[in-house]
Amino acid sequence: MTNAQILAACRSNWEYRGIDDASVREMLEELAAHLEDAQTAGRSGQDVVGQDVRSFAAAWARARAPFSRRVARTVSMTCFAVGCVLILAYLLRWTSELAVTPAYLAFWSSLCVATVVWELRRGSLGMRARCAVAVAIALPVAILTGLLAGDEVLFALPLWAALALLVPGLPYAAADARARRNSHTADDTSASPAR
């Protein structure tokens, strides 16, 4: 296994485990330095991480961010993502109350399930490919549900509920955005030639 493959496997494992972007970048930089040092000393990347890269990445993730903290972050970011999608639906329909039908509920539920299952089974796809696969699964489910269950409104979701879903994820989203901005600034600084 090459150093690039080791880094890619660790990155996908850490992202799957809900490690924040800033920590993932920091961990990757540290691991890349260790792998580079091992290579200059004539050792392989397997000597650094062992035979099972996933176990190595999982152990480091557990040490870096305990399970309870990762679960809290994942749940908060999921609520944030659902809140953003709902806000978009309110804006597209220009309403303050969203009528939830069985087909609408089936579409979004199957979209979430398809995305999570695909990530667990296949690993990281690109954003476009992941969305295409999820929509290809969710759309027939929604159409079939609409045909079988009809267009009866199950409940009306007020705008404040979508806004409330944003609240738990705001600190994490802000921290991720700040970390991305800082990393881009650091990359730009290191890429500029010395004078």
Side-chain angles (χ1 to χ4, degrees):
M1 190 173 232
T2 66
N3 288 353
Q5 291 171 325
I6 291 171
L7 290 170
C10 287
R11 174 191 286 275
S12 66
N13 190 297
W14 294 332
E15 287 173 348
Y16 164 72
R17 291 176 180 281
I19 305 293
D20 63 282
D21 292 342
S23 295
V24 168
R25 275 192 291 280
E26 186 180 315
M27 292 161 73
L28 284 171
E29 288 172 5
E30 186 176 338
L31 179 57
H34 287 300
L35 292 172
E36 197 174 295
D37 290 345
Q39 191 172 20
T40 58
R43 297 181 310 166
S44 70
Q46 297 288 329
D47 294 334
V48 175
V49 299
Q51 294 301 316
D52 190 0
V53 178
R54 288 184 178 164
S55 294
F56 168 81
W60 198 353
R62 282 191 299 271
R64 180 68 180 233
F67 182 71
S68 59
R69 201 166 82 203
R70 288 183 285 141
V71 166
R73 182 183 190 283
T74 302
V75 168
S76 297
M77 289 306 289
T78 301
C79 288
F80 185 79
V82 169
C84 288
V85 168
L86 286 173
I87 297 264
L88 182 62
Y90 286 108
L91 291 174
L92 290 175
R93 295 181 181 180
W94 200 249
T95 183
S96 63
E97 220 174 56
L98 192 62
V100 179
T101 62
Y104 190 79
L105 192 60
F107 176 80
W108 289 107
S109 299
S110 58
L111 187 80
C112 292
V113 169
T115 302
V116 169
V117 168
W118 186 266
E119 282 297 308
L120 290 176
R121 303 293 295 158
R122 297 286 178 202
S124 184
L125 276 176
M127 182 64 155
R128 290 180 186 161
R130 187 180 335 146
C131 288
V133 168
V135 168
I137 292 169
L139 200 53
V141 169
I143 291 169
L144 185 61
T145 304
L147 292 173
L148 295 175
D151 289 338
E152 182 182 331
V153 175
L154 298 174
F155 57 91
L157 191 66
L159 178 61
W160 65 263
L163 294 173
L165 284 171
L166 296 176
V167 173
L170 281 175
Y172 295 109
D176 285 351
R178 191 176 325 113
R180 251 183 258 114
R181 188 177 56 245
N182 290 342
S183 75
H184 289 303
T185 305
D187 290 343
D188 293 342
T189 305
S190 65
S192 64
R195 295 183 183 179

